[in-house]
Each structure stands twice: as structure tokens, then as C-alpha cells.
């Protein structure tokens, strides 16, 4: 439904942030067609944010290189959360009916509709489902899958490692094995440092 609404919104020439949608589409298009993570519509170089999750999205975008594919990917990502929340709630509440109700409440949550219709830019659109998967794997104590999904969350935007850092603090407080929270701390801090170095290079003073 959200995919269809986003395409109708595109056809009606309405957008919350038209320049962001154009940049995102051109970045992915250039990755698919030229193998370069660059755009020419906004700021300079790749973008004003660090979101290498675009590299993960490229194979899906390559199936149909179009702005409509971007909107479908964004809509699908938010819809995927309902399934993850259902699985978590089913385990915690031991009730399929209550779990289904929670997933349904999520889908009817009004701010979600605003997000799914393209109100935010770039990789942040994929942070919520990936964070939900991170919480699911943490709940299931699947360490490898947890680390992979936490890394993908960090790849959505340069400030996402701070959320993972907070998750590590929660793990330490709740008495998780040191392997969990130490790895979470290390992953978030190292990635945050890499993102800062990238942004420092991107925002270096322009030659006069």
C-alpha cells in the first residue's frame, strides 16, 4: 500500500524533500551503472551524510534502476518491522493473538505513515527495521546475526552507532555476557570514528 502511495505521490509531483529523493536515486543509479558512489545534485561528492548501507541496497536496486524501486524498498523496510515485532511479542507474551495485535498497532501508528511516505532521507529509512532485527537477534541470543545486524544499523547514517552504543549500555546493565556489551561498545565506537573521519574529509574547507 505504501509503495503504491509513494508512487502516486511521485506522479503528482509532490514530495516532502524532493532533493533528497533525487540524490538517493542518483547515488544508487550511479552505483549500479558506473560503480561510483557519487551524485551531482546536492553538496559535493557522495552526499552530506555517511550511509554505506546503499552498497547493500544496490543489488536490489539493480533489478529495476528507478526512483520507484527506491520507494518500494523504503516502504518494504517499514512493513518488515511488523513481522519482526510480531516474532518478538510472540516469544515474550506467549500469545499469537496479542503478538498479531501489537504488529497491527504498529502498522496503524500514524507517525509511521509519515515516515513511510518519504519524510526522511537516505539510509535512515532502513534503520528501524534493521534495529528491530538487532533486538530480535539479541532476544534470541544469536550473537553472530546480532553483530551483523548491528553493523547494518550503523551503516544507515553516521549517528546510528550512538544508538548501538546505548544498546551496549543496556546489555551491561542487564548483566549480559561481557562478550555482548564489549563487542557492542567496540563496534559502535570504531564505526563512529570511521564515520567522523569520512565526514571531516567531506566537509574540509573548499579551495578559494
Amino acid at each position: 500500500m505504501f509503495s503504491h502511495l509513494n508512487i502516486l505521490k511521485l506522479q503528482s509531483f509532490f514530495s516532502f524533500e524532493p532533493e533528497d529523493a533525487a540524490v538517493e536515486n542518483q547515488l544508487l543509479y550511479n552505483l549500479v551503472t558506473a560503480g561510483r558512489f557519487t551524485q551531482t545534485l546536492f553538496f559535493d561528492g557522495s552526499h552530506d551524510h555517511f550511509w554505506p548501507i546503499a552498497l547493500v541496497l544496490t543489488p536490489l536496486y539493480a533489478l529495476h534502476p528507478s526512483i520507484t524501486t527506491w520507494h518500494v524498498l523504503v516502504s518494504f523496510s517499514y512493513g518488515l518491522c511488523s513481522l519482526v515485532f510480531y516474532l518478538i511479542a510472540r516469544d515474550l507474551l506467549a500469545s499469537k493473538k496479542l503478538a498479531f495485535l501489537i504488529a497491527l498497532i504498529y502498522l496503524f501508528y500514524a507517525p509511521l505513515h509519515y515516515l513511510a511516505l518519504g519524510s526522511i532521507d537516505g539510509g535512515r529509512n532502513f534503520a528501524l527495521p534493521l534495529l528491530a532485527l538487532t533486538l530480535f537477534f539479541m532476544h534470541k541470543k544469536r550473537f553472530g546475526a546480532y553483530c551483523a545486524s548491528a553493523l547494518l544499523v550503523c551503516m544507515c547514517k553516521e549517528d546510528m552507532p550512538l544508538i548501538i552504543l546505548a544498546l551496549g549500555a543496556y546489555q551491561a546493565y542487564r548483566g549480559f555476557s561481557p562478550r555482548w556489551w564489549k563487542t557492542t561498545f567496540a563496534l559502535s565506537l570504531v564505526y563512529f570514528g570511521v564515520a567522523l573521519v569520512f565526514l571531516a574529509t567531506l566537509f574540509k574547507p573548499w579551495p578559494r
Side-chain angles (χ1 to χ4, degrees):
M1 181 184 72
F2 285 122
S3 297
H4 181 62
L5 290 175
N6 269 313
I7 293 171
L8 289 178
K9 180 166 66 72
L10 176 68
Q11 293 173 345
S12 68
F13 297 98
F14 174 79
S15 176
F16 294 105
E17 297 286 349
E19 71 279 5
D20 286 333
V23 166
E24 293 149 357
N25 183 64
Q26 194 187 51
L27 280 171
L28 291 175
Y29 186 85
N30 287 341
L31 269 174
V32 168
T33 59
R36 299 183 61 187
F37 191 56
T38 57
Q39 54 83 31
T40 59
L41 302 175
F42 180 69
F43 197 67
D44 179 54
S46 60
H47 203 335
D48 58 337
H49 294 297
F50 185 55
W51 56 293
I53 191 69
L55 300 172
V56 180
L57 299 173
T58 299
L60 296 174
Y61 183 85
L63 297 175
H64 181 63
S66 167
I67 186 66
T68 57
T69 304
W70 169 260
H71 287 308
V72 170
L73 291 173
V74 170
S75 302
F76 178 79
S77 73
Y78 287 113
L80 178 65
C81 284
S82 62
L83 175 60
V84 180
F85 291 147
Y86 169 82
L87 294 174
I88 295 175
R90 187 187 62 180
D91 283 357
L92 294 176
L93 302 175
S95 171
K96 292 183 179 180
K97 292 182 179 179
L98 287 177
F100 177 78
L101 179 61
I102 288 175
L104 197 62
I105 290 172
Y106 162 80
L107 289 174
F108 279 96
Y109 185 52
L112 170 71
H113 305 165
Y114 180 66
L115 296 176
L117 290 174
S119 65
I120 61 176
D121 63 311
R124 286 185 297 175
N125 287 291
F126 306 94
L128 181 60
L130 290 171
L131 183 58
L133 282 173
T134 302
L135 295 174
F136 174 74
F137 292 133
M138 185 180 74
H139 167 66
K140 288 291 191 179
K141 298 294 191 296
R142 295 175 59 180
F143 183 74
Y146 163 81
C147 291
S149 56
L151 176 61
L152 290 174
V153 171
C154 293
M155 292 171 65
C156 290
K157 194 168 178 277
E158 65 274 0
D159 55 357
M160 290 297 110
L162 300 179
I163 296 178
I164 300 301
L165 183 66
L167 188 58
Y170 169 81
Q171 293 167 352
Y173 174 77
R174 296 288 294 182
F176 276 63
S177 166
R179 180 178 72 152
W180 282 80
W181 57 265
K182 287 182 178 180
T183 301
T184 302
F185 281 157
L187 173 66
S188 58
L189 292 174
V190 169
Y191 190 93
F192 188 60
V194 171
L196 288 180
V197 170
F198 173 85
L199 291 175
T201 303
L202 183 65
F203 285 94
K204 63 184 178 181
W206 289 6
R208 295 182 181 275

